[in-house]
């Protein structure tokens, strides 16, 4: 017989978003955080370098220290954290099937918060040909190997990607005694912030970035011996000697549970479609963090958790969502926008920002919002819209939206 437990709020995912949501819910509620790893804290647990907690905690600490503080805050607020617990499916609208060392159980919740995060696409998903060799990682796999398992990697690496997370890989490799021979990107310039690109060129890191370049083949058996790269504009190919390859970025949300629930999904983010209150299409089921915007920094994901707490309380108190929703969509080169629904009377999104992703660099972006052929908002922003990182647009650009006027489209220019 399967045991059923009843809780007020079940949060699936014990990373920055889920733990922050738990820390901000009413202590009188029975809040349960379900985490599939053996320890809660998410990706920061094995990202052993500083830079965490700036926006949500107003601090500047390492990933492991940040993860520990997230757990402490959630526990101090009265939440129960169950690690080594996998949510395997749904037995009802808000009833979860779970498997853990205790066996199979059901969790029946008044509200569910999906905080399952995102992952980098590994080499097979990127369809890069060549030999099947040891020494190939994603950033998360690399950090887990180095910082949690305390295992060695090679001595000379090529990093595929030049995003924020790519520099995290550089620091992890340096910690492991592995030099970064080359960082590659298909874009005309590195996707990370200028300060990271400058730091990467200093003697301390000494990272050479090959722009407009793609990896065409991995060479070596049983261990990587090199990668073949191609200069996209000229077609010129060359081989870089290395024994380690790290595929960074190219994120996809961990959306399997959202899909299994039959939630409305967004074709751009590949995560569930939500409104600015972070409601999904199923009443009482919310979604937050990098499940919605793959991928943003840990502290931004955490602020989603803080934002959703008030919306969950409203739902539990019987406050219904407004019925009318305006779809928010993006025009190329913008790939996606989150959240994707705007309802009259709802709060602004977390930090009053819409989060977007672009496939082309625009150094001084002019963002236009159109509805029914009319311009309803326009903003020129002092920060670049760059591939490889989330582009933030003040949500006030939608203030002129008509609740009955049809979809709103955001475009550059």
């Amino acid at each position: 017989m399967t045991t059923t437990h009843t809780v007020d709020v079940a949060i699936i995912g014990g990373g920055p978003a889920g733990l922050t949501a738990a820390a901000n819910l009413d202590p009188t509620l029975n809040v349960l955080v379900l985490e599939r790893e053996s320890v809660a804290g998410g990706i920061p647990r094995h990202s052993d370098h500083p830079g965490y907690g700036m926006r949500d905690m107003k601090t500047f600490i390492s990933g492991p220290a940040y993860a520990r503080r997230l757990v402490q805050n959630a526990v101090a607020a009265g939440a129960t954290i169950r690690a080594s617990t996998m949510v395997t499916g749904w037995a009802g609208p808000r009833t979860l099937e779970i498997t853990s060392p205790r066996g199979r159980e059901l969790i029946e919740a008044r509200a569910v918060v999906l905080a399952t995060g995102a992952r980098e696409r590994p080499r097979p998903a990127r369809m890069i040909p060549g030999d099947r060799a040891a020494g190939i990682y994603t950033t998360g796999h690399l950090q887990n190997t180095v910082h949690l398992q305390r295992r060695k990697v090679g001595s000379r690496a090529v990093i595929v990607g030049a995003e924020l997370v790519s520099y995290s890989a550089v620091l992890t490799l340096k910690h492991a005694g592995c030099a970064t021979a080359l960082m590659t990107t298909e874009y005309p310039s590195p996707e990370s912030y200028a300060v990271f690109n400058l730091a990467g060129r200093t003697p301390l890191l000494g990272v050479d970035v090959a722009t407009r370049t793609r990896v065409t083949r991995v060479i070596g058996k049983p261990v990587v011996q090199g990668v073949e790269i191609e200069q996209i504009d000229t077609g010129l190919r060359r081989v870089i000697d290395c024994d380690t390859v790290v595929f960074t970025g190219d994120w996809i949300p961990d959306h399997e549970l959202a899909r299994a629930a039959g939630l409305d999904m967004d074709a751009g983010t590949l995560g569930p479609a939500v409104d600015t209150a972070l409601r999904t299409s199923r009443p009482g089921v919310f979604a937050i963090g990098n499940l919605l915007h793959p991928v943003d920094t840990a502290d931004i994901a955490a602020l989603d958790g803080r934002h959703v707490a008030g919306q969950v309380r409203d739902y539990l108190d019987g406050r219904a969502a407004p019925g009318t929703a305006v779809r928010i969509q993006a025009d190329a080169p913008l790939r996606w926008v989150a959240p994707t629904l705007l309802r009259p009377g709802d709060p602004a999104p977390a930090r009053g920002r819409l989060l977007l992703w672009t496939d082309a660099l625009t150094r001084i972006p002019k963002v236009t919002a159109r509805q029914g052929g009319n311009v309803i908002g326009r903003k020129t922003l002092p920060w670049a819209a760059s591939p490889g990182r989330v582009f933030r647009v003040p949500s006030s650009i939608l203030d002129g939206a008509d609740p009955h006027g049809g979809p709103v489209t955001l475009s550059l220019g």
Side-chain angles (χ1 to χ4, degrees):
M1 180 176 177
T2 304
T3 304
T4 301
H5 302 279
T6 301
V7 299
D8 292 313
V9 184
I11 299 173
I12 308 174
L19 291 171
T20 303
N24 284 272
L25 285 165
D26 192 324
T28 62
L29 296 173
N30 183 358
V31 178
L32 177 63
V33 179
L34 301 166
E35 168 57 47
R36 65 186 174 187
E37 298 289 339
S38 59
V39 179
I43 289 175
R45 284 192 310 122
H46 50 72
S47 187
D48 198 4
H49 58 76
Y52 286 86
M54 289 185 287
R55 295 179 181 91
D56 57 335
M57 296 183 183
K58 310 302 180 187
T59 187
F60 189 83
I61 54 179
S62 72
Y66 178 68
R68 289 192 295 270
R69 192 174 295 186
L70 289 169
V71 171
Q72 291 165 1
N73 291 346
V75 171
T80 299
I81 300 174
R82 283 190 56 178
S84 301
T85 301
M86 175 71 76
V87 180
T88 55
W90 301 80
R94 290 177 300 280
T95 301
L96 307 170
E97 300 170 345
I98 68 169
T99 302
S100 75
R102 303 184 193 182
R104 298 179 62 191
E105 303 167 77
L106 296 178
I107 302 295
E108 191 175 83
R110 297 170 60 204
V112 174
V113 179
L114 298 172
T116 48
R119 62 184 182 270
E120 294 165 298
R121 293 181 197 268
R123 176 198 174 182
R126 306 183 194 215
M127 296 186 290
I128 294 176
D131 297 320
R132 297 183 66 180
I136 300 174
Y137 303 87
T138 62
T139 312
H141 181 199
L142 173 73
Q143 292 176 335
N144 189 291
T145 298
V146 172
H147 294 306
L148 296 187
Q149 301 178 36
R150 309 295 180 186
R151 290 166 52 192
K152 292 183 178 181
V153 295
S155 60
R156 181 176 166 87
V158 168
I159 295 176
V160 183
E163 304 182 15
L164 285 172
V165 70
S166 310
Y167 287 95
S168 182
V170 169
L171 293 173
T172 301
L173 290 166
K174 183 176 177 60
H175 178 87
C178 182
T180 299
L182 188 69
M183 182 181 286
T184 73
T185 175
E186 296 185 8
Y187 293 104
S189 61
E191 302 99 283
S192 185
Y193 295 112
V195 64
F196 287 90
N197 301 330
L198 290 171
R201 291 195 291 268
T202 63
L204 178 64
L205 296 179
V207 178
D208 182 23
V209 181
T211 57
R212 295 291 294 157
T213 301
R214 59 176 169 237
V215 173
T216 52
R217 184 163 58 108
V218 176
I219 303 165
K221 286 182 179 180
V223 178
V224 172
Q225 296 176 347
V227 295
E228 180 185 72
I229 64 172
E230 178 184 72
Q231 216 291 328
I232 294 171
D233 298 320
T234 65
L236 183 65
R237 295 189 177 188
R238 60 188 172 114
V239 174
I240 308 298
D241 293 333
C242 63
D243 55 17
T244 304
V245 183
V246 186
F247 290 95
T248 66
D250 195 6
W251 299 92
I252 184 170
D254 275 322
H255 55 198
E256 288 78 9
L257 278 174
R259 289 189 175 278
L263 303 181
D264 290 347
M265 306 295 287
D266 181 70
T269 64
L270 303 181
V274 297
D275 55 27
T276 60
L278 300 173
R279 308 179 192 94
T280 70
S281 58
R282 178 177 292 184
V285 177
F286 299 78
I288 59 176
N290 283 327
L291 172 63
L292 304 178
H293 36 78
V295 67
D296 210 339
T297 57
D299 52 359
I300 292 295
L303 291 174
D304 264 11
R306 185 180 298 171
H307 183 65
V308 82
Q311 319 315 316
V312 171
R313 287 193 297 266
D314 285 349
Y315 171 77
L316 294 177
D317 289 341
R319 295 180 191 142
T324 304
V326 173
R327 172 73 62 172
I328 312 167
Q329 54 196 28
D331 258 359
L334 298 173
R335 188 188 304 180
W336 53 253
V337 58
T340 53
L341 296 171
L342 178 69
R343 299 180 191 275
D346 266 355
R351 296 182 72 228
R353 294 288 187 268
L354 300 169
L355 307 181
L356 298 95
W357 196 268
T358 181
D359 290 318
L361 174 64
T362 306
R363 297 198 181 277
I364 304 177
K366 299 177 181 179
V367 185
T368 303
R370 293 181 173 86
Q371 186 180 38
N374 299 316
V375 174
I376 62 167
R378 215 178 235 135
K379 289 188 180 293
T380 300
L381 301 175
W383 51 83
S386 176
R389 64 178 190 256
V390 170
F391 172 48
R392 311 178 204 287
V393 175
S395 60
S396 57
I397 196 171
L398 303 179
D399 285 354
D402 179 352
H404 306 286
V408 174
T409 301
L410 299 176
S411 61
L412 290 175

